[in-house]
Amino acid sequence: GAGVSQSPSNKVTEKGKDVELRCDPISGHTALYWYRQSLGQGLEFLIYFQGNSAPDKSGLPSDRFSAERTGGSVSTLTIQRTQQEDSAVYLCASSLQGRGGVGTEAFFGQGTRLTVV
Amino acid sequence: AQKVTQAQTEISVVEKEDVTLDCVYETRDTTYYLFWYKQPPSGELVFLIRRNSFDEQNEISGRYSWNFQKSTSSFNFTITASQVVDSAVYFCALLINTGFQKLVFGTGTRLLVSP
């Protein structure tokens, strides 16, 4: 597609349920990032993929959070046993990461607004 | 460790005023990239500019200009003759290009431009 696509755009779930958030990056982009943005706050780094590998998982808040990427394309962020503090907008971004800095800029999707009730 | 500091939490100006958003970064790496993003009320993050660590030339794009100074580890963003449509949260970000990469954002500066 033309841009980064995230689904669903909104998700309301009950506390304790599992949720899956999907990200379709821009075709050909090798790098993929997940961030979390709580209301009125900055961007909290969650995880970074290079191809299908996740060399940096340091931002995942707990073992309830996991992510995978298949075929160097689509990524899924899974939150198990959701808690109210998980409520936030989850943003996905992708970049080309070409040589000499070209393509290092990340392009963001519109995010998934997760509400845990 | 990488860190980006945007000390200004919120700035309010009146239309047509010039405004500068500050960004200070920390990194031990010699190769890195700096970015500015705009997040309007709609929520989507919009890429504005990339600057690499070897290029200290300032850049101007219309009413926007960027001042990169390695000596002070700063990458400031100036909007000239601000407009109401400039109202948004602006984020500065840092990317290190050595092995695995982590794109780190500052906490953002909320700019309010009133008519």
Side-chain angles (χ1 to χ4, degrees):
Chain A
V4 178
S5 177
Q6 291 187 246
S7 60
S9 54
N10 279 285
K11 176 72 176 179
V12 180
T13 189
E14 291 181 354
K15 179 181 173 181
K17 300 280 190 183
D18 298 351
V19 294
E20 281 190 356
L21 312 180
R22 177 187 168 104
C23 173
D24 275 286
I26 294 172
S27 179
H29 279 196
T30 57
L32 188 147
Y33 303 86
W34 282 99
Y35 291 86
R36 179 168 71 174
Q37 187 174 32
S38 300
L39 187 62
Q41 302 299 309
L43 277 74
E44 176 188 3
F45 170 81
L46 297 179
I47 190 169
Y48 154 71
F49 285 93
Q50 180 62 38
N52 291 334
S53 301
D56 189 352
K57 304 180 183 178
S58 62
L60 294 177
S62 74
D63 58 8
R64 296 187 295 104
F65 287 72
S66 62
E68 64 175 14
R69 187 179 185 193
T70 55
S73 182
V74 173
S75 176
T76 303
L77 177 68
T78 301
I79 309 173
Q80 296 178 311
R81 305 181 302 282
T82 51
Q83 303 295 314
Q84 288 187 328
E85 61 262 30
D86 299 334
S87 297
V89 176
Y90 289 81
L91 293 162
C92 175
S94 69
S95 72
L96 183 60
Q97 293 193 349
R99 291 176 180 265
V102 174
T104 51
E105 59 270 25
F107 293 90
F108 282 79
Q110 292 192 315
T112 293
R113 183 176 298 278
L114 175 66
T115 304
V116 182
V117 298
Chain B
Q2 301 159 260
K3 185 179 179 182
V4 176
T5 301
Q6 294 181 256
Q8 302 152 308
T9 305
E10 185 169 307
I11 301 175
S12 293
V13 299
V14 177
E15 221 173 7
K16 298 184 183 177
E17 285 185 22
D18 299 347
V19 58
T20 295
L21 310 181
D22 297 334
C23 173
V24 174
Y25 62 93
E26 293 179 30
T27 178
R28 294 178 184 174
D29 290 79
T30 56
T31 301
Y32 54 89
Y33 304 91
L34 296 161
F35 307 86
W36 275 95
Y37 285 83
K38 175 182 180 180
Q39 188 175 40
S42 61
E44 187 169 357
L45 277 147
V46 178
F47 164 72
L48 296 178
I49 189 171
R50 177 191 75 240
R51 174 65 70 229
N52 74 47
S53 54
F54 300 116
D55 181 4
E56 286 194 73
Q57 282 192 353
N58 292 326
E59 183 159 338
I60 298 175
S61 176
R63 297 183 297 106
Y64 295 171
S65 62
W66 292 269
N67 183 350
F68 175 32
Q69 292 196 347
K70 289 179 75 172
S71 60
T72 56
S73 297
S74 65
F75 186 43
N76 296 338
F77 174 27
T78 297
I79 302 175
T80 303
S82 60
Q83 300 177 0
V84 173
V85 293
D86 296 328
S87 296
V89 180
Y90 291 86
F91 291 95
C92 181
L94 167 68
L95 176 71
I96 291 177
N97 195 20
T98 53
F100 76 81
Q101 305 182 13
K102 187 173 179 176
L103 182 58
V104 174
F105 283 79
T107 51
T109 297
R110 181 178 299 277
L111 175 64
L112 300 172
V113 183
S114 55

